[in-house]
Amino acid sequence: MTRFTKLFAALLLFAVCCGLEAAPKIAHHSQVFEADGSSWQLSLPAGYRLELAAEMDGPRMLVLAGDGALLAGSVSKNIYRLEPPYARPEVLAVLKGFPHGVALHDGDLLVARTNGLYRAPYRPERSARLTEKDFRRITPLPTGGHPSRTVAVGPDDRIYLSLGISGNCSDEYIGKDYAFDDYRGGVLVLVEGEGAVRWQPYASGLRNPVGFDWHPDTGVLYASNHGPDHHGYDLPPEYFSRLDAGSFHGMPWFQFDGRDVIRDRCIGRAPPRTDVTRPVATFPARNGPMGVAFVPRGAGDPAWADGAIVALHGSWATKPSGGWIGSRASRRPPWVALVRFDKGGAAQVEPLIEGFQNASGERLARPIGVAFGADGALYFSSDGGAIEGLFRLVRN
């Protein structure tokens, strides 16, 4: 038995011991979804259906505005705004530099681009389109590597931003002794003082924490996180992690195999720390966890209360090696998960929506951003597959 076969066995043991059961506890039913002349057999919570709310060009992260509109960044340079019932997207702005993440703060629209965080006055009137000149860069960010930057406003009214390290084993860290250009792999918080605005470390050692959100009751921050690609198709698992101020999550120096924290020898430099915080839940390797949204009070289904919805993008990796070359049907499929909480802590991962990839490996959608609309329904964006746009899960 190889070392990494042993690690995979340990991952399975962790799933059994910690109650992260594979079998869903949510009752499901099937829905056939037709697109581009193909059919996808979706698995949805009983009593619900999935529908296309609007088509868009490469939408990414979502945020609900105070006026009830949904805003979305994109890979297509567009910043979208959709008023309820979210059927007619308008282009609020066109920005270069991958405007992946958006948020609202003190009446301004925040846009996280690869090279920095930008701000412009938010004007909800449909005629008020913003231009590049309306945006002012608040502060720069390290460039290169994973280009996405996710921004959100916390319950403490501070601005938080996540960014990943450049590669699998890049010597980058948010903390002491690292230059600004290597200040990557975790979550930052924006602080102001003495007439300056600067980033302060919040959590480090996360390879690519694309999505994050705060538990509505405890105020604790949780994030999804991508594992590296250099250990094949099955290891290490993808993370769902609790982030506390100053927490260190290990990457790229350490990997969690499902039971133990293992030193990853792909990086020669000594780790800045050894006090690794383990994930509170995991997803199978190469799933690409993206957006995270806790279920707000009164939204969604009562069975999802206290839980977090996570969009999983699916992998480019194929069996058996985890490389590009192989059957497309063997890739990890996209799906939407519910991380169920119990007594304030993560207890179990369950599938919420599955079936986005058919037997030949074609995909209906690739979920990425997650949000609950003003109507209380669950929405997610798709930036790939047969349909790029906004999907809505609604009761029959």
Side-chain angles (χ1 to χ4, degrees):
M1 183 181 287
T2 68
R3 175 171 175 263
F4 287 107
T5 302
K6 293 178 181 177
L7 296 186
F8 184 58
L11 173 59
L12 296 178
L13 178 62
F14 171 79
V16 172
C17 291
C18 296
L20 302 181
E21 303 170 11
K25 290 190 175 180
I26 297 172
H28 282 68
H29 76 112
S30 295
Q31 174 188 337
V32 176
F33 202 108
E34 305 280 348
D36 281 359
S38 298
S39 299
W40 281 265
Q41 191 82 22
L42 302 180
S43 174
L44 307 173
Y48 286 82
R49 71 181 184 277
L50 188 69
E51 58 187 27
L52 178 64
E55 291 190 76
M56 294 185 282
D57 188 2
R60 300 284 284 190
M61 306 307 282
L62 300 171
V63 67
L64 178 65
D67 60 8
L70 280 172
L71 305 178
S74 79
V75 71
S76 63
K77 304 179 184 178
N78 294 330
I79 305 295
Y80 290 104
R81 181 177 181 274
L82 300 96
E83 295 181 350
Y86 312 118
R88 297 178 57 192
E90 63 169 313
V91 176
L92 187 60
V94 178
L95 301 175
K96 298 178 181 178
F98 194 16
H100 157 90
V102 293
L104 292 168
H105 185 252
D106 289 343
D108 285 345
L109 172 65
L110 303 178
V111 179
R113 300 155 84 176
T114 301
N115 71 345
L117 179 64
Y118 291 76
R119 182 191 297 269
Y122 176 63
R123 303 164 187 155
E125 298 85 3
R126 181 170 290 274
S127 60
R129 180 161 173 167
L130 298 168
T131 69
E132 182 76 48
K133 293 180 180 179
D134 294 310
F135 286 86
R136 175 179 62 86
R137 189 164 76 170
I138 303 171
T139 181
L141 290 166
T143 58
H146 290 113
S148 65
R149 311 284 185 262
T150 303
V151 61
V153 178
D156 56 3
D157 200 43
R158 296 197 297 174
I159 298 170
Y160 292 76
L161 183 139
S162 67
L163 72 172
I165 62 174
S166 298
N168 287 321
C169 304
S170 304
D171 184 14
E172 295 167 341
Y173 172 69
I174 299 175
K176 185 180 177 182
D177 300 329
Y178 278 74
F180 176 75
D181 285 343
D182 297 323
Y183 222 48
R184 306 174 60 114
V187 174
L188 305 165
V189 61
L190 198 64
V191 296
E192 298 186 45
E194 300 178 354
V197 178
R198 67 188 188 282
W199 292 114
Q200 176 178 299
Y202 187 81
S204 60
L206 295 160
R207 179 175 173 265
N208 195 19
V210 177
F212 59 93
D213 195 16
W214 290 263
H215 191 283
D217 291 337
T218 66
V220 173
L221 180 60
Y222 291 85
S224 65
N225 184 51
H226 294 198
D229 304 334
H230 63 292
H231 291 312
Y233 188 81
D234 291 314
L235 285 168
E238 313 274 37
Y239 291 5
F240 183 81
S241 296
R242 172 175 172 153
L243 275 55
D244 294 304
S247 59
F248 174 60
H249 301 265
M251 295 186 185
W253 293 271
F254 300 95
Q255 306 294 340
F256 179 66
D257 67 5
R259 185 178 66 180
D260 299 314
V261 174
I262 306 297
R263 179 75 162 92
D264 196 329
R265 299 295 175 183
C266 73
I267 180 169
R269 181 169 176 167
R273 300 166 57 177
T274 58
D275 55 330
V276 178
T277 298
R278 300 181 178 208
V280 296
T282 60
F283 309 103
R286 317 304 285 277
N287 266 226
M290 295 287 190
V292 175
F294 278 94
V295 182
R297 291 288 168 261
D301 191 286
W304 313 341
D306 295 327
I309 308 298
V310 181
L312 294 115
H313 209 223
S315 76
W316 51 262
T318 58
K319 290 183 178 180
S321 67
W324 289 92
I325 300 174
S327 169
R328 294 199 314 165
S330 73
R331 301 177 298 182
R332 296 279 192 200
W335 56 302
V336 176
L338 169 68
V339 181
R340 194 181 292 281
F341 275 61
D342 182 43
K343 298 178 181 178
Q348 175 172 310
V349 176
E350 297 183 27
L352 194 68
I353 310 173
E354 296 182 292
F356 295 112
Q357 182 170 301
N358 64 21
S360 63
E362 297 172 318
R363 288 165 169 170
L364 169 65
R366 300 195 72 186
I368 183 160
V370 187
F372 285 85
D375 55 1
L378 171 62
Y379 290 82
F380 67 85
S381 58
S382 166
D383 68 344
I387 297 178
E388 296 183 3
L390 184 70
F391 286 84
R392 171 172 48 225
L393 184 66
V394 294
R395 292 184 183 274
N396 286 325

